[in-house]
Amino acid sequence: KGLLAASALHPGDWILRINDREENVTQMPAQDAAQLILDEPRRVSIVTMKPPDLKDVDTRTTAQKWLRHAKRAGIAIGGGTMVGVGLIFIPTLPPPFGEVLIAGGVSVLGTEFEGPK
């Protein structure tokens, strides 16, 4: 249950303002904020904000993004070439060479892409 059981507040919400108070309530300890709410004789007005999900924020620079794409392209070219050459080796060379090269190419592709895993 708790103090704010019937409210729309959720754990982790940032409290921006309580009853239009001028001081910074974001720095207020939780006990002081709870006491402020309990001491208020009238309706309490709380302004909150849902914090941003840090998983969705891309903080990489343009150079880092470009290097990431270049790495993925290099792995795709290298792994794809290994698989292609392995397919050519299957009918032309003795059995283990083509299959080993294909397995190696798929494992290289699996280091960067989800499909081959």
Side-chain angles (χ1 to χ4, degrees):
K1 305 266 178 186
L3 180 65
L4 302 173
S7 74
L9 290 175
H10 301 286
D13 284 353
W14 292 345
I15 298 176
L16 302 177
R17 204 169 51 207
I18 298 175
N19 287 343
D20 298 323
R21 290 182 64 120
E22 294 297 322
E23 65 266 7
N24 189 0
V25 294
T26 58
Q27 303 298 325
M28 185 181 295
Q31 294 141 339
D32 292 346
Q35 191 60 44
L36 176 71
I37 293 167
L38 289 173
D39 291 343
E40 186 62 40
R42 56 186 173 88
R43 180 174 249 172
V44 177
S45 169
I46 303 173
V47 178
T48 65
M49 180 176 89
K50 180 181 177 192
D53 191 4
L54 296 180
K55 292 182 288 187
D56 298 336
V57 178
D58 190 5
T59 59
R60 295 179 295 172
T61 65
T62 304
Q64 289 172 330
K65 290 177 188 176
W66 188 88
L67 286 173
R68 175 78 172 138
H69 290 300
K71 177 185 173 191
R72 287 177 63 93
I75 288 174
I77 291 168
T81 301
M82 289 174 70
V83 170
V85 171
L87 288 173
I88 294 170
F89 281 178
I90 286 178
T92 59
L93 292 177
F97 296 110
E99 288 87 352
V100 169
L101 197 56
I102 289 173
V106 170
S107 68
V108 167
L109 290 170
T111 61
E112 193 63 34
F113 302 101
E114 284 295 317
K117 291 182 181 177

